[in-house]
Amino acid sequence: MIISFTQVDGTVEELSTDDLSAREAAAIEAAMGGAQWQRIEALLQLQDPTALRAVAWAFRKREVPDLKFEDFDIPNWRRRLKARITRPEIEDALNNLMLQAISSKSEDTQIDLLTPHLRKLAQDPADVDAALDGLGKGHLVKRRQDSTD
């Protein structure tokens, strides 16, 4: 997951949760009251301010080791912090959906329902189409494009 952190001067710093160490992830879990990492990822997707702040804090601790979570704040966080998912995360979401839907034969319908959410969260919305192509579901992209023409 990528957290875009807009600095006061307008520059955007991208913080990838893939770049966190295991200790940093554990520190985020502790700062979030013992929440498991899966829960934190879900909160990030929901743009939860505490989860977003916790990830930014973990990266800032690299520069300021004694920085306490309770002392770290980001004014105007709604405009300055945004979580986005990467292509591998999009592919994982679609693969999980396919595994769950395979027995019900409704994977196309379920993918159609999930796709707008993935596009909204995607760092690059074109990654959603590429992931669908990789799954052999590129016809869903074509069908969606045909319906908007």
Side-chain angles (χ1 to χ4, degrees), residues 68-83:
K68 292 182 172 70
F69 181 64
E70 56 272 3
D71 295 334
F72 182 70
D73 194 15
I74 302 170
N76 303 313
W77 70 271
R78 281 189 191 271
R79 285 178 278 175
R80 297 181 61 203
L81 293 173
K82 187 148 312 257

Side-chain angles (χ1 to χ4, degrees), residues 25-122:
I28 291 169
E29 289 175 335
M32 297 278 303
Q36 292 185 336
W37 189 254
Q38 281 184 298
R39 175 75 177 134
I40 293 167
E41 285 183 324
L43 289 169
L44 288 169
Q45 288 184 21
L46 293 170
Q47 309 302 315
D48 177 80
T50 306
L52 291 164
R53 182 172 65 99
V55 171
W57 165 76
F59 279 93
R60 288 297 167 266
K61 275 189 69 69
R62 292 175 179 180
E63 300 159 10
V64 185
D66 59 343
L67 181 62
K68 292 182 172 70
F69 181 64
E70 56 272 3
D71 295 334
F72 182 70
D73 194 15
I74 302 170
N76 303 313
W77 70 271
R78 281 189 191 271
R79 285 178 278 175
R80 297 181 61 203
L81 293 173
K82 187 148 312 257
R84 294 286 178 243
I85 56 176
T86 61
R87 182 162 174 188
E89 291 164 326
I90 293 166
E91 290 171 350
D92 286 347
L94 289 171
N95 282 328
N96 288 338
L97 179 68
M98 290 288 291
L99 289 172
Q100 292 172 4
I102 214 154
S103 62
S104 66
K105 304 285 190 217
S106 66
E107 65 260 12
D108 285 4
T109 301
Q110 290 186 32
I111 289 171
D112 279 340
L113 293 172
L114 181 63
T115 300
H117 176 69
L118 292 176
R119 283 186 204 295
K120 182 178 176 184
L121 281 175

Side-chain angles (χ1 to χ4, degrees), residues 131-142:
L132 286 168
D133 281 339
L135 274 177
K137 295 293 184 178
H139 64 281
L140 296 175
V141 175
K142 174 86 171 110

